[in-house]
Amino acid sequence: MLNKNKNDRIDLQRALNQRAYVNSMNAYRQPRTSRFAQEKARTRGLSWPKLIMVLVIVLSGYFIWTQPKATAHAVLGVAKHLTGADARAAAQKAAAAQAAKAAEDQANLQFSGQVNAILTSNPGIAFSISIVTPVTGPHHYGSSGPLLAGSTTKVLTAAAYMHNVEIGQARLNQKIDGRTAQSLLRAMIVNSDDTAWSDINYYLSYDDIQNYAKSIGLNSYDWGPNAIASDDIASLLRQLYNGSLLNPADRSLLLSWLKQANYRDFIVPAVPREDVIYHKVGLYDDNVNDAAIITRGHQWLVLVIFTDGHGAENWLNRARLMQQITRYALNDYLPAASSSE
């Protein structure tokens, strides 16, 4: 009996010693966490709205990269399965973009028919017509090659000089033939002063202007005959208006001169008074051209109409046709415009 009690005490002591050893080892052992708990910890900071936004961004990026034409449709499809303000905003944005594109397609179709009818009815006049709006790229009608530009390229000379000012190679207040460069530029744009134009051109050099034109994508410009495609003049005006050509101060200054520019007998009479027009006319031999930016609030379009009458002149008829084209453009692309036939 004594031996049995002694053995029981020994077994009990062994058990206590083993438990103490195990407890001491647990004090140094790293706690084990399940994979699910680890993932949960990593995502604990993401709320459902954040997860929804991540899903929309990832899916939108995928569709934009792989299928640009299906982007709006894909975003709408994702939004249908989401809830909350983010989903509604995504759906509204996609629907607005789709509606704007549909309206633009309809405007393009309508304007194309109207302009082509004018071109067909006036075979003695060579037209080169370019139109640009914020939603779509440029659309062209008529002759595609360069035509004699007249004074429309005075805008290019002005932009080239202002670019040189911005890179520190010229100043607006410096004297050129006894006048400040700024006064020459203003006279060149507002009054279409050819002497001022010549002074600025010679100061810059024609090679400098040609190189500047190429640097901003106007590859059709040729300073020798002073010829350029209407698409390139439209591109110049678009870059000026959207702020990618000059800094804000120089952009505003050049636009203020274009707003006052003379020879207002062609596109200008077709533009309602509540709209704003910035334009430059170019007249040379029987080439009659007008290049304009027309704005209404936040809406705008660029319209360039080059014509060559091949010696038949009749500028009054061309003014009438240019105004008709302008009315079509305003009615089709800026439908709130009021215009009279």
Side-chain angles (χ1 to χ4, degrees):
M1 188 68 167
L2 291 175
N3 288 334
K4 183 177 184 304
N5 290 339
K6 182 178 179 181
N7 290 335
D8 288 343
R9 285 197 301 272
I10 291 172
D11 291 340
L12 177 61
Q13 187 61 46
R14 286 177 178 172
L16 290 174
N17 290 341
Q18 184 175 11
R19 183 174 181 181
Y21 172 77
V22 169
N23 286 340
S24 68
M25 292 301 294
N26 283 339
Y28 298 96
R29 187 177 296 156
Q30 294 293 331
R32 297 183 64 185
T33 307
S34 70
R35 192 176 190 86
F36 172 79
Q38 292 173 4
E39 292 297 327
K40 184 176 180 182
R42 275 199 291 269
T43 59
R44 188 174 297 152
L46 291 177
S47 62
W48 277 110
K50 291 180 181 178
L51 288 172
I52 290 172
M53 286 301 296
V54 169
L55 178 61
V56 170
I57 290 170
V58 170
L59 289 176
S60 298
Y62 169 77
F63 278 98
I64 289 171
W65 180 258
T66 59
Q67 301 179 51
K69 293 183 179 179
T71 299
H73 179 73
V75 173
L76 278 172
V78 172
K80 289 179 181 178
H81 300 284
L82 303 179
T83 58
D86 294 330
R88 289 194 297 272
Q92 290 169 359
K93 185 175 181 180
Q98 205 163 19
K101 183 62 170 61
E104 190 81 8
D105 289 343
Q106 179 60 34
N108 291 334
L109 182 64
Q110 189 164 318
F111 186 69
S112 177
Q114 293 163 333
V115 169
N116 286 326
I118 289 179
L119 270 57
T120 302
S121 302
N122 296 272
I125 304 172
F127 285 91
S128 184
I129 302 167
S130 302
I131 187 165
V132 183
T133 70
V135 177
T136 189
H139 292 273
H140 183 89
Y141 306 91
S143 301
S144 58
L147 291 176
L148 296 179
S151 294
T152 59
T153 51
K154 288 174 178 173
V155 183
L156 175 60
T157 296
Y161 189 89
M162 289 178 160
H163 171 72
N164 276 275
V165 171
E166 292 179 2
I167 63 175
Q169 295 182 3
R171 302 190 318 276
L172 286 175
N173 63 355
Q174 72 184 67
K175 293 292 184 68
I176 301 174
D177 288 346
R179 299 172 63 183
T180 65
Q182 182 165 330
S183 68
L184 290 172
L185 291 168
R186 185 185 187 283
M188 181 179 75
I189 298 297
V190 175
N191 304 317
S192 210
D193 188 318
D194 288 338
T195 301
W197 187 21
S198 179
D199 289 342
I200 295 291
N201 282 338
Y202 279 115
Y203 178 83
L204 293 174
S205 85
Y206 286 104
D207 286 342
D208 182 82
I209 299 171
Q210 183 86 53
N211 291 334
Y212 175 71
K214 288 187 181 301
S215 75
I216 59 173
L218 311 187
N219 295 316
S220 69
Y221 175 64
D222 185 349
W223 70 263
N226 187 33
I228 195 169
S230 63
D231 281 355
D232 277 352
I233 286 290
S235 175
L236 175 67
L237 294 183
R238 175 186 58 79
Q239 292 179 68
L240 172 64
Y241 191 71
N242 70 18
S244 63
L245 194 67
L246 300 171
N247 68 36
D250 290 332
R251 170 188 178 272
S252 296
L253 187 58
L254 183 48
L255 285 175
S256 73
W257 295 334
L258 290 168
K259 188 176 180 180
Q260 305 171 60
N262 61 358
Y263 294 111
R264 306 178 74 82
D265 303 321
F266 300 99
I267 285 180
V268 174
V271 179
R273 291 182 180 179
E274 61 267 25
D275 296 340
V276 178
I277 180 169
Y278 312 91
H279 85 118
K280 192 76 192 82
V281 162
L283 307 172
Y284 183 79
D285 286 343
D286 204 13
N287 292 86
V288 178
N289 312 320
D290 204 350
I293 305 164
I294 305 170
T295 73
R296 175 183 294 108
H298 296 296
Q299 300 180 89
W300 60 268
L301 62 82
V302 170
L303 178 63
V304 177
I305 306 174
F306 278 16
T307 70
D308 185 350
H310 301 298
E313 297 187 357
N314 196 354
W315 289 11
L316 289 176
N317 182 51
R318 259 179 284 173
R320 180 183 64 81
L321 293 173
M322 292 166 83
Q323 289 161 30
Q324 185 66 69
I325 292 168
T326 302
R327 291 189 184 97
Y328 286 148
L330 291 174
N331 288 336
D332 295 343
Y333 292 98
L334 305 181
S338 59
S339 62
S340 58
E341 295 296 323

